[in-house]
Amino acid sequence: MAKLGCLAEKNVLEIGCGSGRITRTLSKHFMNVAALDISRTMLEKARYFVNEENVIFLESNGEDVPLFPASVDFAFSFIVYQHFPTKEAILHSFRQVARSLKPGGVFKVQVRGIANPDPKHWAWGPHFTKEDGLALANSAGLKVIELRGEGSQYFWMLLEKS
């Protein structure tokens, strides 16, 4: 399994930074943080809340990751992909994250592991079984290191770029 080593020398990509709560913590441990969000309003709040020199905030369309030249050691996302409309959109984003990771880079990501109880509700995106998670990682060119929380809202995947 990949070892991140000294975090103070590593670059991190956060997918869906929101108001910056996690971004702030990441900025204390990593050399550089690129924090993405689709909401300009949330990015403004995050800039105010975090205000650290080692953090850059970037607006995203929700599926695309800005073009980084395989410079990211660690990517992280929590309570973001559960709002994506389709598994195809999530796969597209995972491929973009994989493209941004250095070889040996790690992606820790949470997806929904339970089915949608209300298909008409806008906030419920697709869910993944263990098999779906394995296929998603493989299709994105990432190796599964660990899966946790299968069958729950917080289905965590730890993935590595070979």
Side-chain angles (χ1 to χ4, degrees):
M1 180 170 116
K3 303 249 188 244
L4 282 177
C6 178
L7 299 182
E9 299 171 357
K10 305 295 182 182
N11 298 315
V12 63
L13 170 64
E14 181 185 11
I15 308 294
C17 69
S19 64
R21 290 185 320 253
I22 294 173
T23 312
R24 183 184 218 176
T25 299
L26 293 171
S27 75
K28 305 293 184 203
H29 299 282
F30 287 87
M31 183 172 64
N32 295 300
V33 179
L36 306 181
D37 207 278
I38 62 170
S39 169
R40 197 168 284 157
T41 301
M42 293 308 282
L43 287 169
E44 289 171 11
K45 289 179 181 183
R47 280 185 187 97
Y48 177 79
F49 180 67
V50 177
N51 195 25
E52 298 288 341
E53 289 184 16
N54 66 332
V55 178
I56 182 170
F57 292 98
L58 302 166
E59 190 172 348
S60 171
N61 64 10
E63 291 181 23
D64 294 320
V65 173
L67 192 57
F68 295 107
S71 60
V72 176
D73 300 286
F74 179 63
F76 180 81
S77 185
F78 175 57
I79 60 172
V80 174
Y81 288 106
Q82 63 191 28
H83 300 296
F84 272 48
T86 65
K87 287 183 177 182
E88 292 77 20
I90 293 171
L91 174 58
H92 177 75
S93 181
F94 271 47
R95 285 179 174 154
Q96 302 248 328
V97 170
R99 183 204 67 226
S100 300
L101 286 170
K102 291 178 180 177
V106 176
F107 184 24
K108 182 162 184 164
V109 57
Q110 174 264 330
V111 295
R112 185 180 307 283
I114 55 174
N116 181 355
D118 182 3
K120 295 178 185 171
H121 193 277
W122 65 269
W124 283 83
H127 74 283
F128 293 84
T129 63
K130 178 180 179 180
E131 292 75 22
D132 293 335
L134 293 168
L136 176 64
N138 185 52
S139 294
L142 298 166
K143 180 174 82 172
V144 173
I145 303 300
E146 182 178 23
L147 300 175
R148 286 190 180 201
E150 176 192 354
S152 74
Q153 181 177 352
Y154 303 109
F155 179 20
W156 284 98
M157 300 192 299
L158 184 62
L159 311 172
E160 179 180 28
K161 181 175 180 178
S162 298

